[in-house]
Amino acid sequence: MKSLEKAQPVRTLAKAPLLRGLSAEALEEVAAKATEKKVRAGGTLFREGEPASALYLMLEGRVKLTQVAADGHEVILRFVGPGDAVAALALFGDAAYPVTAGAVSDSVLMAWHRDVLQELFQHHPPLAVNAMRLLSERLREVQERFRELATERVAQRIARALLRLVRQVGRRVEGGVLIDLTLSRQDLAELTGTTLYTVSRVLSEWEGQGILESGRAKVVVKRPHALVAIAEDLAPGTEGRVEGRG
Amino acid sequence: MKSLEKAQPVRTLAKAPLLRGLSAEALEEVAAKATEKKVRAGGTLFREGEPASALYLMLEGRVKLTQVAADGHEVILRFVGPGDAVAALALFGDAAYPVTAGAVSDSVLMAWHRDVLQELFQHHPPLAVNAMRLLSERLREVQERFRELATERVAQRIARALLRLVRQVGRRVEGGVLIDLTLSRQDLAELTGTTLYTVSRVLSEWEGQGILESGRAKVVVKRPHALVAIAEDLAPGTEGRVEGRG
DNA sequence: CGTGCCCTTGAAGATCTTCAAACGCAGTGG
DNA sequence: CCACTGCGTTTGAAGATCTTCAAGGGCACG
C-alpha cells in the first residue's frame, strides 16, 4: 500500500556519514559490535527524558524526532532516514535523550550501546570526527530554523520546510517533486511552529496558484522556484501577496 | 565605569569544559600552541559566512553570537563568557562560521588555528570527547529554545530568557539578582524573537508587579520564582494575567 | 547643557490562532 | 455494492496577540 513510505535502505554502510572514512576492517569491527533494532510504524525508539543508552544508525524506514511542550503542543525537530545517525549524545554517560524518536514507517536500525560506543570511539578516531561533524551540522540547521522562526512569517517558514523536505526526501514524479513521506497538515504545522489551520489555508492558496498539489497527507511541489521566491520574501512570480512588511 | 561588564577571567585553564580531563603536560602543550586574541567591546571576532579558521576559548570578557536575516532582523543565539568555547566546527575544513561573534565587552581569548587543532585532537582524545559534549549541549539548548519559540507566547519566552541569564551571569545584589551584562530591550527582543516594544511593555508590567527592576540596559530580578511561574504558564502569584489559553 | 541612546506608551492594524461546522476520501463492514 | 465511519482537510468568523508607527521622556556622557 503505502509506497510513500518505502525509503531506500542503505546498501553500503560505508556511505553513511557516520562511518565514512573508516577502513574496511574497521567497518567490519564496528558493524560486528552493533545490534539490530526494528521498530514498527507508530512505534517509539526512545522517549524524551529517558537515559541515553545507545546511538543508532538508520538502515531502512523513517523516524521523526519530536519534543512535547508542557501544554501538549508538539514540535517536530527533524525527520531521519536511511544513512542518518540518531542520538549522538549517547556517548556521555549522564545524558538523557532530549527528544522523542518515533517511527513513521517500519524501520530498521543498527544500535551501539554506550559502553561499546566509547570503546569504538577510542579505537577509531575517524568515528569521533564524523560524529562531531554530524553534531555541528545539526546545530547549524537548528540555529538556522531558530532564526527563521524568530524572524519570518508563517508562509515563509512553510515554504522553507517544504523546500527542505524536497531536498531531503523529494522524488521526481510527473509534474513535480513528491515529498516522499506521510506529511499531514498537522505535521507541517509542527515543523514550522504554527497550526494545522494556517497550514491548510496557505497550501490551499498555493494550490490555487499552481505552485503545488496536495492531498491527504501528501504534497507534490510543482514549482519549487516559486517556493524559493516566497521563502526569500521576493516579489512572487504570479502575484499572491498583498504587500511587503511596511 | 561599566562594572557590569567585568566578568571574572578564567584562572585555571583546567576548569574550562573544553580542556577538562587533560593531563598537566597535555594542558601545557595545548596552551603552548594557542595564540592570544584580544577584541575590544564592539569589535568582531568573526562574521557569519567567513571560513571557519579557528576555535576559541574565552578567558575574559563577553561575546555575543548572532545571526542576521536577509531583511536585517537580528537574532541572538547565545552569550559566551570566560571558560566557554566558541566555533567548535573550526575542525572541519570546508565549514563557514554559521554565526557572527561580536564582543560585548573587552575580551581576551585563546585561539587555535585549524591545522594546529586537528593535530591536537589527534594527540589528545579527551579533547575530542569534550568538544563533542559541548556541541551536544549546545544542540540541546537550541532545540529547547526552538520548541519554546514554536509553542510559547512572548511573555513566557522573555521569562525563560531572563531565567537563563540569571543562571548564566546572575550576580546577587541587594534585593535580587543582577543580570551581569549590558542587556537592552533590543537584546532581549533578539533573544526571544519579538520586538523591543513588546519587551518594554512586558518588563514594565513585571516591574509594576514587583517581579523585577529594570533600567537602561539593566535588569535585576527580584522574584525569580514569579518568573518561573510565568515561564511554566502557571497561575501567577499576584494576579496579572487575564486567563489561560482557551 | 546639549546630544545620543535607550526606554515608554498610545493607537491602529496585521497576522495568526481558535472555535465551530462541514466536506470528502479511504478503508470497513454489512 | 453501498452505506458507514474515521480521519485529515477546508473554510468562515471572531478575536487574541503581537507588531508597527509615531511621539515623547529621561538618563548618561561628553
Side-chain angles (χ1 to χ4, degrees):
Chain A
M1 275 312 101
K2 302 230 179 163
S3 72
L4 273 186
E5 301 300 339
K6 276 276 162 58
Q8 287 307 310
V10 175
R11 291 271 164 247
T12 50
L13 282 178
K15 288 205 174 156
L18 178 67
L19 303 180
R20 200 162 289 170
L22 289 180
S23 67
E25 311 98 275
L27 253 182
E28 205 161 338
E29 184 196 338
V30 169
K33 301 221 167 162
T35 58
E36 197 183 80
K37 173 128 187 173
K38 297 193 180 190
V39 190
R40 294 218 149 274
T44 305
L45 192 58
F46 52 78
R47 288 182 195 284
E48 188 177 346
E50 288 176 6
S53 62
L55 175 147
Y56 299 93
L57 177 62
M58 285 207 66
L59 299 178
E60 292 179 47
R62 189 81 56 195
V63 163
K64 176 168 86 165
L65 301 181
T66 61
Q67 280 190 346
V68 184
D71 67 347
H73 259 96
E74 203 169 316
V75 167
I76 300 178
L77 286 162
R78 191 182 164 82
F79 285 103
V80 180
D84 291 332
V86 187
L89 88 170
L91 250 191
F92 314 114
D94 46 346
Y97 291 117
V99 299
T100 296
V104 171
S105 61
D106 292 354
S107 300
V108 183
L109 308 93
M110 296 176 76
W112 291 274
H113 268 261
R114 223 175 55 209
D115 322 322
V116 181
L117 203 60
Q118 292 185 326
E119 197 189 310
L120 287 174
F121 269 66
Q122 296 282 345
H123 288 55
H124 306 287
L127 210 53
V129 176
N130 286 342
M132 269 191 69
R133 177 179 278 123
L134 288 179
L135 271 175
S136 70
E137 271 168 21
R138 297 272 165 97
L139 181 59
R140 213 167 59 83
E141 190 193 316
V142 182
Q143 283 179 346
E144 195 180 308
R145 288 182 60 198
F146 181 83
R147 178 184 54 70
E148 289 168 13
L149 198 47
T151 64
E152 298 177 353
R153 27 200 61 173
V154 172
Q156 283 179 273
R157 300 190 324 248
I158 297 174
R160 284 195 198 277
L162 289 177
L163 288 171
R164 270 198 198 93
L165 288 169
V166 162
R167 248 178 287 138
Q168 211 186 332
V169 298
R171 211 181 61 190
R172 304 207 75 85
V173 294
E174 57 158 86
V177 181
L178 169 70
I179 290 174
D180 200 0
L181 48 76
T182 302
L183 188 75
S184 67
R185 305 291 181 267
Q186 178 69 33
D187 288 331
L188 266 173
E190 291 175 2
L191 270 172
T192 53
T194 180
T195 63
L196 81 96
Y197 307 105
T198 299
V199 170
S200 178
R201 284 181 233 276
V202 170
L203 291 196
S204 291
E205 190 184 332
W206 289 347
E207 190 146 12
Q209 297 175 9
I211 295 176
L212 51 75
E213 271 174 20
S214 71
R216 195 187 177 81
K218 189 192 77 159
V219 177
V220 177
V221 177
K222 294 164 68 181
R223 296 170 41 213
H225 186 77
L227 284 185
V228 172
I230 293 166
E232 301 295 343
D233 198 17
L234 308 173
T238 42
E239 31 135 359
R241 277 191 336 120
V242 194
E243 263 295 296
R245 11 170 132 187
Chain B
M1 269 315 99
K2 301 233 175 156
S3 70
L4 273 185
E5 301 301 338
K6 276 276 163 60
Q8 289 306 310
V10 176
R11 292 269 165 248
T12 49
L13 283 179
K15 289 206 175 155
L18 178 66
L19 303 178
R20 200 163 288 168
L22 289 180
S23 67
E25 311 99 273
L27 254 181
E28 205 161 338
E29 184 197 338
V30 169
K33 301 220 166 164
T35 56
E36 197 183 82
K37 174 131 187 173
K38 297 192 180 189
V39 191
R40 294 217 149 277
T44 306
L45 192 56
F46 53 77
R47 288 182 194 283
E48 186 177 347
E50 288 177 4
S53 62
L55 175 148
Y56 299 93
L57 178 62
M58 286 207 67
L59 299 177
E60 293 179 46
R62 190 80 56 194
V63 163
K64 175 168 87 166
L65 302 182
T66 61
Q67 280 190 345
V68 183
D71 67 346
H73 260 95
E74 204 170 315
V75 167
I76 299 178
L77 286 162
R78 191 180 163 84
F79 285 102
V80 179
D84 290 331
V86 186
L89 88 170
L91 252 190
F92 314 115
D94 47 345
Y97 291 118
V99 300
T100 295
V104 171
S105 62
D106 293 353
S107 299
V108 183
L109 309 93
M110 295 175 77
W112 290 273
H113 267 262
R114 224 176 54 208
D115 322 321
V116 181
L117 203 61
Q118 292 186 325
E119 197 190 309
L120 287 174
F121 270 65
Q122 296 282 346
H123 288 56
H124 306 287
L127 211 53
V129 176
N130 286 342
M132 270 192 67
R133 176 178 279 123
L134 288 179
L135 271 175
S136 69
E137 273 169 19
R138 297 273 163 95
L139 182 59
R140 213 168 59 83
E141 190 193 316
V142 183
Q143 283 178 346
E144 196 180 308
R145 288 182 60 200
F146 181 85
R147 178 185 53 70
E148 289 167 13
L149 198 48
T151 64
E152 300 177 353
R153 24 199 65 171
V154 172
Q156 282 179 274
R157 300 190 323 248
I158 296 175
R160 285 195 198 276
L162 289 176
L163 289 171
R164 270 198 197 94
L165 288 168
V166 162
R167 249 178 285 138
Q168 211 186 332
V169 298
R171 210 181 62 191
R172 303 208 77 85
V173 295
E174 56 158 88
V177 181
L178 169 69
I179 290 174
D180 200 2
L181 50 75
T182 302
L183 189 74
S184 67
R185 305 291 182 268
Q186 179 68 35
D187 289 331
L188 266 173
E190 291 174 2
L191 271 172
T192 54
T194 179
T195 64
L196 81 97
Y197 307 104
T198 300
V199 170
S200 179
R201 283 180 234 275
V202 170
L203 291 195
S204 291
E205 190 184 333
W206 289 346
E207 189 146 11
Q209 297 174 10
I211 295 175
L212 52 76
E213 272 174 19
S214 71
R216 196 188 179 78
K218 190 192 77 162
V219 177
V220 177
V221 177
K222 294 164 70 179
R223 296 170 42 212
H225 185 77
L227 284 186
V228 172
I230 293 165
E232 302 296 341
D233 198 18
L234 309 172
T238 41
E239 31 133 359
R241 279 193 333 120
V242 195
E243 263 294 299
R245 9 172 134 187

